Amino acid sequence: MRQAGRYLPEYRAIRKTRSFHEVMRTPELACEVTLQPVDLVGVDAAILFSDILVIPEAMGLGLEMESGVGPRFDRTVRSAADVAGLKPVDPTVDLGYVMDALRLIRRELDGRVPLIGFAGAPWTLASYMIEGQGTKDFRHAKRLLMADPAAMTALLDKLTDAVGDFLVAQIEAGAQVVQLFDSWADALAPAEFRRFALPTYHRIIERVKPTGVPLILFARGAMWALPELAQTGADVLGIDWHIEPAEARRLAGDGVGLQGNLDPAALYLPPDEIRRRTESMIAGFGATGYIANLGHGIFQDTPVDSARAFVAAVKGHAG
């Protein structure tokens, strides 16, 4: 999941003099931060350093990263008129800095490990755009969904097209795997999930599929929908820590790869316990068609040695 970040002292050293936006928008800095977990922790793939909100920003919503608050947009999208006023996104132009970073990272990696790109899924992006920032109750987003489903559908349609184009552009710039994150899928009831989120996955995956590059789909909190997620055409499904590995495999079936799902909080445990839990997780998923990983992003105060212990446990697995 998230690799680079505040748990690494080397990243914090960069952020003392550079803002998040500056790091993300400067290919040389994004490259340096992307490579840190590869060089310092020993992970088996590099994940592009960027943010899921670059698409809403490119659509005309001013994005700020406020200390202690997180991302915040200058304006919100809460009506059909607001949706109509969003700018179309040309990823090679409006998000060219992402493509420049990918090309540079790919050169610097020189084949050591694969490079993974990513994008936020439409529902998660729409929620941020409607709320204006992170939220716990999704009140405004769900109000629009319930009161004006046509406006919500129009917004999701625009985002679906933009995300699909963005992922394809990342692949053309050098990404060897892409991930689609619906971090807030758990905010939707099953009926709304099937109506507003699931169709966007199908369309985005159809857009990416002709490239031949694998796509990982992660719908956090929607593990109940694994049988349906397995039918989207995704090559791999991300699994959060709210489900047992063996149950995830049973629900998803054998036709799709799985990734996950160690609770990130487990990295606060001693190294021996991290190793024991990692071994148990791998045994539950089975070694075939499986990517060992956390069940969500690593916490910012995770000891670096604990991240290394997890990676070592995976690489040392005897299966």
Side-chain angles (χ1 to χ4, degrees), residues 31 37 73 79-80 95 118-119 197 241 259 298-299:
C31 177
F73 288 116
S79 69
L95 299 170
F118 69 91
W241 69 92
Q259 172 179 272
I298 191 168
F299 293 135

Side-chain angles (χ1 to χ4, degrees), residues 33-155:
V33 171
T34 297
L35 296 182
Q36 285 176 348
V38 177
D39 296 332
L40 301 172
V41 183
V43 294
D44 285 335
I47 300 177
L48 167 71
F49 182 80
S50 186
D51 192 86
I52 64 170
L53 299 182
V54 295
I55 286 179
E57 184 180 30
M59 286 181 159
L61 303 188
L63 178 64
E64 298 180 3
M65 294 289 182
E66 296 187 18
S67 179
V69 177
R72 182 192 296 271
F73 288 116
D74 289 345
R75 63 186 181 90
T76 57
V77 177
R78 296 185 179 176
S79 69
D82 292 337
V83 174
L86 292 170
K87 293 167 51 180
V89 178
D90 181 343
T92 61
V93 176
D94 302 310
L95 299 170
Y97 61 92
V98 177
M99 310 312 152
D100 290 341
L102 283 162
R103 283 186 282 265
L104 179 58
I105 296 164
R106 184 73 183 271
R107 288 199 303 269
E108 291 297 317
L109 283 172
D110 194 25
R112 283 188 291 159
V113 297
L115 174 58
I116 302 174
F118 69 91
W123 160 249
T124 289
L125 299 183
S127 297
Y128 268 112
M129 296 166 75
I130 296 164
E131 298 290 341
Q133 61 184 22
T135 180
K136 292 183 178 179
D137 59 18
F138 301 87
R139 177 166 54 91
H140 297 292
K142 295 181 83 169
R143 174 187 292 165
L144 183 66
L145 182 151
M146 298 291 182
D148 194 348
M152 176 60 84
T153 298
L155 176 56

